[in-house]
Amino acid sequence: MIRTEAVYHRAGQNWAYAYSDTVIHIRLRTLRDDVPRVELVCGDKFDPTKYKETKEMHLLASDELFDYWQAEVTPAFNRLVYYFILHDRDGGRLYMQEKCFLHEPPAVMYEGLFDFPYLNASDVHTPPTWVRDAVFYQIFPERFANGDPSNDPAGVQPWGGKPTPTNFFGGDLQGVIDHLDHLVELGVNAIYFTPLFAATTNHKYDTADYRQLDPQFGTKEKLKELIDTCHARGIRIVLDGVFNHCGFTFAPYQDVVANGPTSRYADWFFIREWPLRVDDNGIPSYATFGFEPIMPKLNTAHPEVKQYLLDAVRYWTEEFGIDGWRLDVANEVDHQFWRDFRREVKQINPSAYLLGEIMHDAMPWLQGDQFDAVMNYPFTNIALDFFARRLIDAEQLAMAINRQLAYYPQQINEAAFNLLGSHDTTRLLTLCGGETRLLKLAVLFQLTYMGAPCIYYGDEVGIDGEYDPDNRKCMEWDPARQDRELYAFFRRMIALRREHAALRGVDIAFVPIAGQPQTLVYERRDAASRFLIVLNNEVAPVDVTLPAPGGAASWHSLEIAKGVALAADVLRLTLPAYGYAVMQQIGGEAP
């Protein structure tokens, strides 16, 4: 008997959505290993004699509790009604409609069925296609390179000193221009900058003026030079927008400080109690980012606030030709602001990438009317829990990744921003206990996964660091102090990703290895290529025997760690501690 209490579908969100202007994806959830086969019966709601078909659903993914099924449908007339046929293991069938289960097929091809009313092209969520092929590099500009000492802030420290929450080292835009060769050689083709606008702190998340570049970074002319130079070298630019809150020195807020409730800007903010103050428990009498007194929260629903911010957004997008925005504390800003924000940006640059900082389920922001993608912190935590924190095994990683893939439409997964570290986290090398081989495994997984990987500046040369402020060390530019072998690894793996579309695509299948919970094996493939990636996340060597579609002789190694032995007669590997292998199938038929 089918466990119907575990079966789930709804006509919307990640369960039924337009993937393109001709294709609809339909998904269904069942209890894991409970239903061996599912069919989708779909047709036209006005006249099924003109269009009706039955499609076999394929198993998209499985996690600890559920199986997720998917079918891709091209309706003849852009509209669709449908129901599911669930087959049990005894040959029985159960028919699932919108509100009930039946033991016989529905009598009418409309009444009671699920309904996808119409596939309107303007409703299709289409993140920029360039993001699927992007490799991002995050720059914290104050710590990347000091190219122009003339714009250094007062009290600047010698480059490479110990970072504190308040000190400065003079990083600027000229420094980025001076080191573009490093990024081009590394293979990145997109840069995400943390805030560049005028502010008082070294991190610049306390914006003082949304229309001005911070003078310690250089001039607007220098920013335009940087963007134009990057574009000429095939590198796109994404800026950080901080619209949830401003800085204490923001002129409208200073007017509120000076004039209290009589200020014309009083309604630009959320004042709980006058006068403005911070009580003995550190709680401000006005809404802020967290409980940070120098970051008062903006009332983005206020018409004047919205207009001020959108004017600034339009200015930077249009005048400087940027390629997107990363949006800070995005889930605390009202949805209507983001809808208006998207409309403004996309009118100027339809291919701009709108990336929200949201760490949890972000489906409400990913309906096509707000963001293109979010920072994929669920991916981050899954990867770190396996490779760095050692809290889960390979099977648990596979289940967690599969669950994450099922929770979002395919185009969202294709455009996800996949990071392993940032200015807000402990450095990856430190999380890996200083073990470079372990870091490589995490990066290899990141660079052979769908979505857009992002490298935090300095990870590629072995910079370590505990949580803020130690994770914001100055970039190391002395080759003698860089880990050049690690840098070479990053270069090879980025090049491998960029060369093979299968390593960027959506098709991923995990291969369980019995008795080896720390051996992660997965297959990546598309219509032209097939890859097996094998990672030994263990401090001891392991022997791995793998299924070899097409025979062992049809596989060859593209990238292996030192010490890996590959048997010629069968697909059998001996991997050293933290060893890895990337193999490609050659010859034979495409999968």
Side-chain angles (χ1 to χ4, degrees):
M1 178 180 293
I2 293 173
R3 296 286 296 275
T4 56
E5 68 270 25
V7 179
Y8 183 80
H9 174 79
R10 68 177 301 165
Q13 296 187 334
N14 55 312
W15 300 100
Y17 61 90
Y19 178 68
S20 71
D21 58 3
T22 60
V23 177
I24 297 171
H25 286 181
I26 306 293
R27 291 177 179 172
L28 179 74
R29 188 192 77 187
T30 62
L31 187 69
R32 183 171 181 180
D33 297 330
D34 185 48
V35 178
R37 182 182 172 212
V38 180
E39 292 176 286
L40 175 74
V41 180
C42 49
D44 189 83
K45 61 185 175 183
F46 294 113
D47 189 348
T49 66
K50 292 183 172 61
Y51 166 65
K52 184 179 180 182
E53 66 175 323
T54 300
K55 295 187 72 72
E56 194 80 18
M57 300 190 76
H58 61 88
L59 186 61
L60 173 72
S62 299
D63 61 22
E64 297 91 338
L65 298 177
F66 304 112
D67 289 329
Y68 302 90
W69 305 82
Q70 179 168 302
E72 298 81 29
V73 182
T74 303
F77 304 103
N78 279 31
R79 54 187 179 249
L80 200 69
V81 290
Y82 57 95
Y83 64 90
F84 301 95
I85 306 175
L86 288 79
H87 296 256
D88 66 26
R89 298 189 182 280
D90 298 320
R93 297 183 178 190
L94 195 63
Y95 301 85
M96 181 185 180
Q97 296 193 112
E98 186 174 37
K99 302 296 183 183
C100 65
F101 293 93
L102 303 173
H103 292 285
E104 298 293 335
V108 180
M109 191 62 186
Y110 175 70
E111 184 179 344
L113 273 59
F114 292 100
D115 187 3
F116 196 103
Y118 205 84
L119 201 173
N120 295 291
S122 60
D123 293 334
V124 180
H125 185 16
T126 53
T129 55
W130 64 264
V131 177
R132 302 175 190 174
D133 300 322
V135 177
F136 275 89
Y137 189 88
Q138 182 191 346
I139 291 180
F140 191 86
E142 216 286 316
R143 304 292 161 79
F144 188 66
N146 187 346
D148 183 2
S150 71
N151 57 33
D152 286 355
V156 68
Q157 302 292 303
W159 194 260
K162 182 175 178 56
T164 72
T166 58
N167 63 359
F168 293 85
F169 294 94
D172 53 31
L173 298 179
Q174 184 61 55
V176 179
I177 293 173
D178 292 344
H179 292 283
L180 283 180
D181 284 348
H182 173 84
L183 302 184
V184 172
E185 183 183 63
L186 185 61
V188 301
N189 55 11
I191 298 173
Y192 150 48
F193 283 101
T194 53
L196 297 174
F197 308 133
T200 64
T201 60
N202 54 34
H203 54 71
K204 308 302 178 189
Y205 281 96
D206 59 323
T207 311
D209 191 331
Y210 288 83
R211 294 290 292 263
Q212 297 300 322
L213 193 71
D214 195 289
Q216 85 162 86
F217 295 146
T219 63
K220 291 180 179 179
E221 292 75 20
K222 185 58 65 176
L223 177 60
K224 191 68 168 64
E225 177 189 346
L226 169 61
I227 294 171
D228 290 346
T229 304
C230 284
H231 284 171
R233 305 190 73 170
I235 298 174
R236 299 180 189 260
I237 300 296
V238 171
L239 299 187
D240 208 326
V242 188
F243 306 122
N244 172 69
H245 56 272
C246 62
F248 191 82
T249 59
F250 182 50
Y253 187 73
Q254 281 300 301
D255 192 273
V256 176
V257 171
N259 298 303
T262 65
S263 170
R264 69 172 298 268
Y265 299 106
D267 291 339
W268 281 38
F269 307 93
F270 297 97
I271 311 301
R272 298 193 183 97
E273 184 180 331
W274 300 97
L276 302 177
R277 63 188 181 88
V278 179
D279 69 18
D280 294 340
N281 292 318
I283 301 176
S285 64
Y286 49 96
T288 63
F289 166 65
F291 297 101
E292 178 51 71
I294 71 166
M295 296 182 184
K297 181 174 174 61
L298 289 162
N299 179 7
T300 50
H302 191 290
E304 292 181 356
V305 175
K306 180 182 291 187
Q307 194 61 52
Y308 172 85
L309 294 176
L310 294 182
D311 285 348
V313 166
R314 187 182 309 110
Y315 172 71
W316 295 106
T317 306
E318 194 166 45
E319 296 298 322
F320 291 83
I322 64 172
D323 302 288
W325 290 88
R326 180 267 190 186
L327 302 163
D328 190 57
V329 201
N331 55 345
E332 296 190 20
V333 177
D334 66 277
H335 288 279
Q336 188 56 50
F337 177 84
W338 291 132
R339 295 185 184 103
D340 295 338
F341 172 91
R342 181 183 183 87
R343 185 164 49 250
E344 288 287 345
V345 174
K346 295 291 186 175
Q347 284 176 351
I348 300 167
N349 181 2
S351 66
Y353 183 45
L354 304 184
L355 174 66
E357 184 201 23
I358 299 176
M359 300 184 181
H360 304 286
D361 183 2
M363 201 66 237
W365 291 267
L366 296 171
Q367 303 291 313
D369 60 343
Q370 296 173 66
F371 306 147
D372 293 314
V374 293
M375 301 181 77
N376 198 356
Y377 277 103
F379 167 86
T380 309
N381 293 328
I382 294 165
L384 295 181
D385 280 351
F386 179 68
F387 294 108
R389 302 185 184 110
R390 321 307 291 273
L391 298 177
I392 60 176
D393 62 23
E395 181 182 17
Q396 291 170 314
L397 177 142
M399 297 299 99
I401 288 290
N402 283 341
R403 181 167 55 252
Q404 183 66 18
L405 292 176
Y407 277 12
Y408 287 134
Q410 181 174 313
Q411 60 262 51
I412 300 300
N413 293 323
E414 291 172 346
F417 188 88
N418 300 328
L419 65 160
L420 293 175
S422 75
H423 65 290
D424 286 328
T425 68
T426 300
R427 283 274 182 177
L428 179 59
L429 185 56
T430 297
L431 284 174
C432 292
E435 176 55 76
T436 303
R437 293 176 299 171
L438 198 53
L439 177 147
K440 287 181 179 179
L441 297 187
V443 171
L444 175 52
F445 182 63
Q446 178 195 30
L447 291 174
T448 54
Y449 187 70
M450 72 190 76
C454 182
I455 298 161
Y456 185 39
Y457 81 95
D459 279 359
E460 76 277 15
V461 294
I463 291 182
D464 61 3
E466 295 289 349
Y467 187 68
D468 181 22
D470 204 40
N471 57 357
R472 303 174 183 180
K473 292 178 180 177
C474 294
M475 177 64 175
E476 182 56 69
W477 291 113
D478 181 358
R481 297 172 60 88
Q482 294 178 338
D483 186 333
R484 298 303 297 177
E485 194 278 330
L486 180 60
Y487 178 68
F489 168 82
F490 271 84
R491 284 189 62 195
R492 291 195 306 273
M493 291 313 308
I494 292 172
L496 195 66
R497 175 186 179 85
R498 294 184 62 176
E499 181 181 354
H500 298 285
L503 299 178
R504 310 187 300 272
V506 298
D507 197 329
I508 184 169
F510 293 94
V511 181
I513 304 298
Q516 296 180 0
Q518 292 298 317
T519 302
L520 179 65
V521 182
Y522 53 101
E523 183 178 324
R524 302 285 278 127
R525 67 182 186 178
D526 61 10
S529 301
R530 192 175 205 153
F531 294 85
L532 273 175
I533 296 98
V534 187
L535 307 176
N536 175 22
N537 193 43
E538 186 63 79
V539 70
V542 296
D543 294 321
V544 185
T545 301
L546 298 169
S554 70
W555 293 85
H556 76 284
S557 176
L558 291 179
E559 174 71 17
I560 60 174
K562 293 179 180 178
V564 171
L566 179 61
D569 53 338
V570 296
L571 200 51
R572 187 171 61 235
L573 301 91
T574 299
L575 282 77
Y578 308 132
Y580 59 86
V582 179
M583 293 170 289
Q584 182 183 22
Q585 189 176 43
I586 56 174
E589 297 182 1

